[in-house]
């Protein structure tokens, strides 16, 4: 299972990277969303999958899934959510100010 | 007390501003003059100590933990240089009082000059290699400031920049050599390094040390091929040229070679490089000098060639040659200093230094002219024993004849040395005659001069008179300085005290015949100067080192511009690609080199179909985003990945993650929807198929790399998870059943605090971006 999940994480990453390399700002934002999904899956897979019960203490159960990667991912989800929403609004404002969302046309200023 | 000697000029530089008030009737130079004069007397008072073969030294801590001490010592070689620095320093200050008008920024001038004087003393007296280097760079900097003294002239700043670039390049090379030396000899003290000479000669670092050290010495002393900065440094005020660029700073490289020659002397490579470079410099410098039209230009090339002569004698490494080198260091300082001062006087009194506009000045300024004739005849080595230049030149010829190099190439080379020496000396004769006869004899061209020439004020003449007096005095009585000054200096270069008597008259021998050849051919060439001068248009023509330097500087600029423009295009896509390609290449190279890829099928969770199904759907959805050109479709596809991930969280026993992911995904999708309403439609990529392929390769290899890293790290776990601690103590210490939540708020609560801060900041940022729109004050 871990190997399959590794491949899935790699696929999510590849798709995310491809989107990041595009010209349209929106596609880049979509790409970052995919990248963070891939990263979260990666962390979870590294903590080993399906080794026992969910990490909530129940009388008599000794065997739980590793809780630490879950805590890390939880933090990461919230942070990437914050960043994604910020990026989205930034894209929106960029479009409003510059009337374009093509990265080629957003290149620096002339008097550089 | 050596510390006081060295730091006195620095203190004086600090205080000079207090004494010199603007508009004061007393020239600032008068306040400066006592400093070098007193130091000169103090140094003279140490002469008897040195004559007994002892040295003066003093040590103070600076950075003891790095074994860097302010340790100074005064031996024969240091003494010779200290006397030149302070003695000629006094004369130059005196001369500058009459040369520079009170309208100039005198405080700046004297501060720079005192800084230079102090650092030059530091160079010649330091025992610690790093202290030596520190003062060495100080001389570069203060010389830079002095050359650019008239900073509003373009030529001055150009010359200052050039000399700075060349000498600092050499200084850094020298630092490399000094570091290698201190590593090899395991000490920072020059005397101890020299004592460990066998270690250094036998070490593998010998060649790098030698070459780096010589680059430092050659750049500072304007040896071929680094000589081209010196003629451009002639834009400095004439007292500076006389002091720095004839008597002191340009001899720092000579000092360096002399100081370390105890280590290197006797090896073939040292002989070939130093003698070779010295002779080439001698010939090129003297050849090019007659081409110049500026008096100071002639003197600059003459300095180059004389330094080459001294350098080549240091390369010989024999006793006579060393004495001749030391003697010529002294002689050159006297006659060259005076010639510079006279060139300055001519400039001062006529308004030009262009030799084509000068001539026949003898009748107007007889004293200066007489002094110039004495100086130039000494420089040319006219065979009359009243000129000290003749004596040292004879010794140069003598030494060049007595070279005994045994091994192959060095022996062949040694046979050619006398011929090169004579060739260089012939041109030396030519330019010396060109200089004085062109300026002081012939027809006066008064209509071309800005002022009516007349004799200089007596104050200006004192310094050249003293120097020319020394020329004649030493010429007549060479042994006057031999025992007190030259012999200890030779002793510290050669390591043993053996007094070689200076002969007043050699008798009829080969060196004298060589001198006669020089004079006869020199006179012939001087008389036909106008006929063969056009040869300079062909040689060096395009091949001058000036052009090489300019080409290097321009080429470097162009190259770095092209290089920077080639990748700093302003395209985000290119930067991302570069980062990713570098990431992929470096990581896979590391995995390949350390044999890091591992795959193990043990200890895997069993494959179950629901997860595989969800995973496949997610993979398909993710890949599908690439072709999505409809906004709603893109949101849905991204949503599929996100919700699929939360389903996977459910299957992999992570209830809190599933919950959060669901909520976050919903909000994100909602946000996407909100934003998309305001954004333009997704467009089809208009990229060329080649670019698409490149993107695809980069994306695929990044994904593959991540997969490989994931599989390898999963297949090689070196120790158990620390999860057991959290499971055991979640209730006991944290008082909670939900282990993940206990970790978040209890065991690792700090993470959570700052994650909250991140959210808060994002919210504030979004608020600010929407609220504070451009109200006309933003530039578009």
């Amino acid at each position: 299972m871990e190997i399959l999940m590794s491949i899935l994480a790699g696929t999510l990453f590849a798709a995310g990277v491809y989107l990041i390399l595009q010209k349209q700002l929106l596609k880049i934002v979509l790409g970052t969303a995919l990248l963070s999904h891939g990263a979260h899956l990666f962390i979870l897979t590294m903590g080993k999958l399906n080794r026992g019960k969910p990490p909530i203490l129940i009388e008599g159960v000794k065997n739980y899934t590793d809780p630490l990667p879950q805590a890390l991912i939880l933090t990461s989800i919230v942070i990437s959510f914050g960043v994604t929403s910020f990026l989205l609004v930034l894209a929106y404002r960029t479009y409003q100010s510059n009337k374009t969302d093509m990265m080629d046309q957003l290149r620096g200023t002339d008097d550089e | 007390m050596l510390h006081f000697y060295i730091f006195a000029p620095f203190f004086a530089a600090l205080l000079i501003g207090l004494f010199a008030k603007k508009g004061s009737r007393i020239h600032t130079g008068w306040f400066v003059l006592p400093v070098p004069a007193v130091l000169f007397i103090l140094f003279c008072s140490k002469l008897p100590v040195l004559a007994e073969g002892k040295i003066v030294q003093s040590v103070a801590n600076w950075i003891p933990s790095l074994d860097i001490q302010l340790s100074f010592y005064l031996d024969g070689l240091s003494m010779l240089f200290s006397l030149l620095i302070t003695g000629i320093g006094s004369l130059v200050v005196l001369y500058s009082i009459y040369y520079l008008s009170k309208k100039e920024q005198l405080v700046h001038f004297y501060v720079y000059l005192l800084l230079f004087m102090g650092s030059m003393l530091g160079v010649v007296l330091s025992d610690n290699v790093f202290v030596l280097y520190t003062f060495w760079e100080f001389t570069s900097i203060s010389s830079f400031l002095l050359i650019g003294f008239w900073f509003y002239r373009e030529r001055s700043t150009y010359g200052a920049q050039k000399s700075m670039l060349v000498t600092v390049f050499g200084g850094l090379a020298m630092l490399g050599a000094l570091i290698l030396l201190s590593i090899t000899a395991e000490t920072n003290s020059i005397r101890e390094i020299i004592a460990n000479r066998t270690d250094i000669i036998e070490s593998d670092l010998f060649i790098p040390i030698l070459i780096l050290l010589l680059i430092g010495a050659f750049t500072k002393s304007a040896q071929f091929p680094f000589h081209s900065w010196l003629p451009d440094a002639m834009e400095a005020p004439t007292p500076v040229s006389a002091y720095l660029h004839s008597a002191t700073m340009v001899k720092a490289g000579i000092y360096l070679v002399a100081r370390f020659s105890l280590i290197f002397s006797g090896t073939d490579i040292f002989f070939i490089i130093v003698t070779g470079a010295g002779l080439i410099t001698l010939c090129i410098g003297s050849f090019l000098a007659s081409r110049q039209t500026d008096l100071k230009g002639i003197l600059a090339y003459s300095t180059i060639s004389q330094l080459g002569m001294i350098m080549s004698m240091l390369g010989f490494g024999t006793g006579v040659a060393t004495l001749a080198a030391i003697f010529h260091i002294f002689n050159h300082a006297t006659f060259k200093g005076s010639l510079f001062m006279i060139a300055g006087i001519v400039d001062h009194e006529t308004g030009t230094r262009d030799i084509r506009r000068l001539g026949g000045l003898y009748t107007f300024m007889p004293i200066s002219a007489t002094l110039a004739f004495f100086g130039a005849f000494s420089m040319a080595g006219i065979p009359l024993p009243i000129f000290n230049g003749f004596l040292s030149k004879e010794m140069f010829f003598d030494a060049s004849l007595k070279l005994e190099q045994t091994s192959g190439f060095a022996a062949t080379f040694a046979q050619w040395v006398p011929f090169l020496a004579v060739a260089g000396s012939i041109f030396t004769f030519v330019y010396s005659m060109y200089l004085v006869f062109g300026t002081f004899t012939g027809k006066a061209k008064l209509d071309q001069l800005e002022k009516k020439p007349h004799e200089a004020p007596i104050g200006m003449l004192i310094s050249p008179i003293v120097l020319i007096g020394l020329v004649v005095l030493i010429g007549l009585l060479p042994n006057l300085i031999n025992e007190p000054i030259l012999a200890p200096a030779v002793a510290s270069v050669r390591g043993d005290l053996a007094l070689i008597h200076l002969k007043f008259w050699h008798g009829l021998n080969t060196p004298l015949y060589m001198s006669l050849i020089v004079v006869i051919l020199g006179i012939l060439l001087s008389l036909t100067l106008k006929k063969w001068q056009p040869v300079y248009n062909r040689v060096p023509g395009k091949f001058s080192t000036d052009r090489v330097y300019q080409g290097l500087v321009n080429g470097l600029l162009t190259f770095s511009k092209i290089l920077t423009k080639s990748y700093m295009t302003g395209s985000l896509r290119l930067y991302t690609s570069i980062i990713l390609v570098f990431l992929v290449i470096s990581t896979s190279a590391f995995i390949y080199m350390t044999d890091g890829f591992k795959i193990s099928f043990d200890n895997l969770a069993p494959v179950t179909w629901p997860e595989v199904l969800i995973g496949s759907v997610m993979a398909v959805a993710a890949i599908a985003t690439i072709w999505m050109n409809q906004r709603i479709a893109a949101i849905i596809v991204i949503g599929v990945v996100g919700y699929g991930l939360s389903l996977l969280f459910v299957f992999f026993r992570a209830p809190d993650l599933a919950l959060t992911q669901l909520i976050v995904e919903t909000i994100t999708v909602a946000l996407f929807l909100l934003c998309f309403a305001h954004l333009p439609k997704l467009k089809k990529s208009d990229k060329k198929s080649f670019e698409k392929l490149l993107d695809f390769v980069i994306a695929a290899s990044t994904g593959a790399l991540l997969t490989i890293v994931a599989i390898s790290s999963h297949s090689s776990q070196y120790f158990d998870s620390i999860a057991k601690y959290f499971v055991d103590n979640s209730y006991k210490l944290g008082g909670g059943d939900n282990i993940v939540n206990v970790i978040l708020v209890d065991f690792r609560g700090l993470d959570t605090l700052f994650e909250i801060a991140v959210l808060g900041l994002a919210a504030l940022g979004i608020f600010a971006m929407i609220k504070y729109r451009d109200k006309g004050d933003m530039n578009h």
Side-chain angles (χ1 to χ4, degrees), chain A residues 1-2 14 18 21 24 26 37 46 48 50-52 55 57 66 70 74-75 78 85 93 96 107, chain B residues 570 573 603 605 626 651 653 660-661 671 676 681 683 687 699 713 717 721 723 737 739 744 755 769 773:
Chain A
M1 199 73 228
E2 277 89 347
Y18 191 89
L21 293 173
Q24 212 171 0
L26 258 185
H37 288 326
M46 289 305 95
K48 296 205 164 147
N50 283 350
R51 300 293 195 283
L57 291 174
D66 195 335
Q70 298 193 9
L74 202 59
T75 311
V78 176
S85 34
R93 288 288 292 122
Q96 275 205 328
R107 247 190 232 183
Chain B
R573 188 178 155 266
N603 197 17
I626 294 171
F651 282 108
R653 322 271 199 274
T660 318
Q661 179 69 32
L671 261 175
F676 278 26
K681 288 186 174 148
K683 292 174 194 121
K687 285 182 171 175
S713 50
Q717 281 189 342
S721 162
D737 287 334
I739 308 174
L744 280 175
E755 154 197 349
M769 271 197 293
R773 287 158 187 270

Side-chain angles (χ1 to χ4, degrees), chain B residues 353-537:
Chain B
R353 296 196 311 253
D354 192 332
I355 198 162
R356 290 167 299 188
R357 293 163 65 190
L358 295 168
L361 291 180
Y362 193 91
T363 45
F364 299 102
M365 21 203 336
I367 305 175
S368 311
T370 313
L371 295 173
F373 275 106
F374 273 90
F377 286 172
S378 179
M379 180 158 77
I382 301 270
L384 282 177
I386 56 163
F387 301 119
N388 57 5
F390 164 66
L391 298 176
S392 45
K393 184 148 285 181
E394 284 288 273
M395 291 166 73
F396 172 49
F397 288 149
D398 191 26
S400 73
L401 289 169
K402 287 184 184 155
L403 286 174
E404 287 171 13
Q405 299 293 326
T406 45
S407 68
F409 180 70
T412 325
F413 177 52
Q415 291 175 346
W416 285 96
V417 168
F419 294 99
L420 285 170
V422 169
S425 302
I426 292 172
F427 283 104
T428 306
F429 186 92
V430 174
Y431 73 70
S432 302
M433 299 305 117
Y434 171 56
L435 179 72
V436 283
F437 286 103
T439 313
F440 293 105
T441 64
K443 243 178 86 183
K445 302 161 194 166
L446 293 181
D447 50 327
Q448 293 191 30
L449 299 178
E450 288 161 26
K451 308 175 189 169
K452 185 166 165 25
H454 55 82
E455 189 55 87
I458 185 68
M460 224 168 179
L461 286 168
I462 294 174
S463 301
I465 287 174
V466 171
L467 288 172
I468 292 298
L470 272 174
V471 167
V472 177
L473 186 67
I474 306 301
L476 288 170
L477 301 165
N479 286 306
L480 201 65
I481 57 161
N482 188 9
E483 200 171 336
I485 298 175
L486 301 185
V490 175
S492 47
V493 176
R494 309 257 321 146
D496 47 4
L497 189 65
L499 189 64
I500 304 169
H501 200 69
L502 286 173
K503 283 200 199 100
F504 179 73
W505 176 249
H506 287 256
L508 286 174
N509 53 9
T510 326
L512 188 67
Y513 297 138
M514 287 163 85
S515 278
L516 289 176
I517 293 172
V518 167
V519 172
I520 293 164
L521 284 179
I523 290 174
L524 281 178
L525 281 174
S526 300
L527 292 175
T528 55
L529 183 66
K530 289 274 177 293
K531 294 212 173 94
W532 58 269
Q533 235 171 0
V535 85
Y536 287 119
N537 297 333

Side-chain angles (χ1 to χ4, degrees), chain B residues 533-579:
Chain B
Q533 235 171 0
V535 85
Y536 287 119
N537 297 333
R538 292 180 171 275
V539 185
K542 290 189 274 194
F543 304 104
S544 71
T545 46
D546 247 353
R547 292 207 178 196
V548 175
Y549 166 83
Q550 208 48 53
L552 271 176
V553 170
N554 292 343
L556 202 64
L557 270 178
T558 322
F559 172 72
S560 45
K561 255 185 205 160
I562 290 172
L563 188 73
T564 311
K565 275 197 178 155
S566 72
Y567 70 95
M568 296 299 288
T569 56
S571 150
L572 181 68
R573 188 178 155 266
L574 181 68
Y575 302 156
T576 319
S577 307
I578 291 174
I579 293 170

Side-chain angles (χ1 to χ4, degrees), chain B residues 492-716:
Chain B
S492 47
V493 176
R494 309 257 321 146
D496 47 4
L497 189 65
L499 189 64
I500 304 169
H501 200 69
L502 286 173
K503 283 200 199 100
F504 179 73
W505 176 249
H506 287 256
L508 286 174
N509 53 9
T510 326
L512 188 67
Y513 297 138
M514 287 163 85
S515 278
L516 289 176
I517 293 172
V518 167
V519 172
I520 293 164
L521 284 179
I523 290 174
L524 281 178
L525 281 174
S526 300
L527 292 175
T528 55
L529 183 66
K530 289 274 177 293
K531 294 212 173 94
W532 58 269
Q533 235 171 0
V535 85
Y536 287 119
N537 297 333
R538 292 180 171 275
V539 185
K542 290 189 274 194
F543 304 104
S544 71
T545 46
D546 247 353
R547 292 207 178 196
V548 175
Y549 166 83
Q550 208 48 53
L552 271 176
V553 170
N554 292 343
L556 202 64
L557 270 178
T558 322
F559 172 72
S560 45
K561 255 185 205 160
I562 290 172
L563 188 73
T564 311
K565 275 197 178 155
S566 72
Y567 70 95
M568 296 299 288
T569 56
S571 150
L572 181 68
R573 188 178 155 266
L574 181 68
Y575 302 156
T576 319
S577 307
I578 291 174
I579 293 170
L580 288 171
V581 166
F582 180 75
L583 174 86
V584 170
I585 289 176
S586 58
T587 315
S588 15
F590 182 74
I591 291 176
Y592 178 76
M593 283 191 298
T594 55
D595 202 12
F597 180 69
K598 284 201 187 89
I599 183 161
S600 116
F601 295 98
D602 314 331
N603 197 17
L604 288 177
V607 177
T608 42
W609 290 112
E611 287 103 315
V612 173
L613 192 69
I614 295 166
S616 332
V617 171
M618 283 169 71
V620 171
I623 293 170
T625 50
I626 294 171
W627 287 283
M628 282 304 140
N629 292 317
Q630 299 230 303
R631 291 185 286 184
I632 296 296
I635 296 166
I636 289 172
V637 170
I638 285 286
V640 167
V641 178
Y643 290 119
L645 188 63
S646 61
L647 271 179
L648 281 182
F649 286 152
V650 171
F651 282 108
F652 293 139
R653 322 271 199 274
D656 298 288
L657 287 189
L659 204 64
T660 318
Q661 179 69 32
L662 263 174
I663 296 167
V664 163
E665 195 57 37
T666 311
I667 300 176
T668 313
V669 167
L671 261 175
F672 270 112
L673 281 171
L674 255 174
C675 272
F676 278 26
H678 298 281
L679 285 173
K681 288 186 174 148
L682 287 175
K683 292 174 194 121
K684 265 197 170 164
S685 167
D686 58 346
K687 285 182 171 175
K688 298 184 192 87
S689 52
F690 168 72
E691 286 177 310
K692 278 185 187 169
L693 183 70
L694 200 68
D695 288 354
F696 176 75
V697 170
I698 293 173
S701 49
T702 315
L705 179 73
L706 187 88
T707 310
I708 288 170
V709 170
I711 292 174
S712 321
S713 50
H714 179 265
S715 303
S716 49

